Amino acid sequence: MKACFLGSTGVVAETARLQRLAYNSAFRDMGLNLYWNVATYCRLLEVPGGQRWLEHVLGDEWPEGLAEEVQALQHRHFLKLVEGGLWLRPGIADAISLCRREEIALAWVTTAAPEMVSALLTHTVGLDAEAFDLITTAEDVLTLKPDPAAYYHALSTLGLEAAEVIAVEDRPVNQSAALQADLQCYLYPGEYAAVEHNLLITRDVPATLERAIALFRQDAPSSSRAPAGLAQPRGSLQ
């Protein structure tokens, strides 16, 4: 095992509630007769989201460009909410420390907007860009998750093979991006994630990574245990 890829922003910090509140604030500001409660938002999270949700909900009857306008306003509301501060999800700090201690490369493979990633790095207690060997954003790929482009980009940048990496994602639609890139990806579901019969689910990320490290070491010859050479300086935010 040469690397661990933490996936979406929701793996690192619990952001779903703030995202939902930001959408409702945007709807209110725009004068739209829309409101997403928890149940509705949980259903939305089962499919690719963001502007794609809006385009589906608003449909063709609304003015062209309205979805983009609402999404931009939601984004501003979300960034404002994040300024209030967030905590790392349980086990994530220990998982990061484990990777550093075991000299395992660590990447944050998200397709969130750069300003969102920067806001989380600034306002999430215990989250430090220097802990990561690579941080990706939406600017690094042409297609967002569940397309696997972000994972292919991370593998290429760090010079790794899929079989050398364990990934962690927050909901099945994002997990599918890692699986399409042939990564073994554990699902660490957020509080709004709907999960059914997922064989790779984990509630304890550090323990899962410790088991993975042990299994890799049992199977790998001693010459292959050194960490991969890194193509990007630690903490680079692309």
Side-chain angles (χ1 to χ4, degrees):
M1 180 177 175
K2 295 182 179 179
C4 172
F5 288 177
L6 300 182
S8 308
T9 56
V11 171
V12 174
E14 190 60 72
T15 59
R17 176 178 174 272
L18 297 186
Q19 293 279 14
R20 183 180 69 85
L21 294 176
Y23 274 113
N24 287 332
S25 294
F27 298 152
R28 183 189 63 244
D29 291 353
M30 295 286 294
L32 299 174
N33 187 26
L34 287 172
Y35 178 84
W36 287 346
N37 61 20
V38 173
T40 297
Y41 201 71
C42 288
R43 289 196 299 271
L44 290 171
L45 287 175
E46 296 177 12
V47 297
Q51 189 171 313
R52 288 166 287 194
W53 293 337
L54 294 167
E55 290 170 347
H56 174 73
V57 171
L58 297 176
D60 297 334
E61 61 195 66
W62 295 90
E64 184 177 353
L66 181 60
E68 292 90 336
E69 189 175 351
V70 174
Q71 186 64 38
L73 184 56
Q74 185 271 350
H75 189 68
R76 292 196 292 273
H77 276 291
F78 176 77
L79 294 179
K80 190 67 176 177
L81 289 170
V82 168
E83 290 178 5
L86 292 170
W87 297 91
L88 290 173
R89 292 184 64 197
I92 294 301
D94 290 338
I96 292 173
S97 296
L98 173 65
C99 289
R100 297 273 63 89
R101 184 170 65 250
E102 298 291 337
E103 297 185 297
I104 292 171
L106 185 66
W108 191 7
V109 186
T110 173
T111 54
E115 56 268 28
M116 182 182 297
V117 175
S118 295
L120 291 176
L121 287 168
T122 300
H123 299 291
T124 304
V125 176
L127 186 61
D128 185 357
E130 293 300 317
F132 297 95
D133 299 287
L134 176 68
I135 299 174
T136 69
T137 73
E139 290 189 343
D140 294 305
V141 292
L142 297 176
T143 51
L144 306 182
K145 296 176 185 176
D147 188 282
Y151 281 106
Y152 287 133
H153 171 76
L155 290 169
S156 176
T157 300
L158 296 176
L160 296 167
E161 299 293 332
E164 299 172 322
V165 180
I166 293 294
V168 182
E169 273 288 3
D170 64 335
R171 53 194 177 107
V173 69
N174 292 327
Q175 183 187 34
S176 69
L179 296 176
Q180 289 178 75
D182 295 326
L183 294 168
Q184 181 165 318
C185 180
Y186 290 92
L187 181 68
Y188 182 38
E191 62 181 11
Y192 282 14
V195 179
E196 294 182 7
H197 311 300
N198 195 302
L199 296 178
L200 289 172
I201 195 170
T202 179
R203 302 290 181 178
D204 188 336
V205 175
T208 297
L209 293 181
E210 286 178 348
R211 288 194 296 270
I213 291 168
L215 289 172
F216 269 85
R217 285 179 173 167
Q218 289 176 15
D219 294 340
S222 58
S223 61
S224 68
R225 294 179 188 170
L230 303 177
Q232 294 287 327
R234 181 163 298 164
S236 61
L237 174 57
Q238 297 186 350

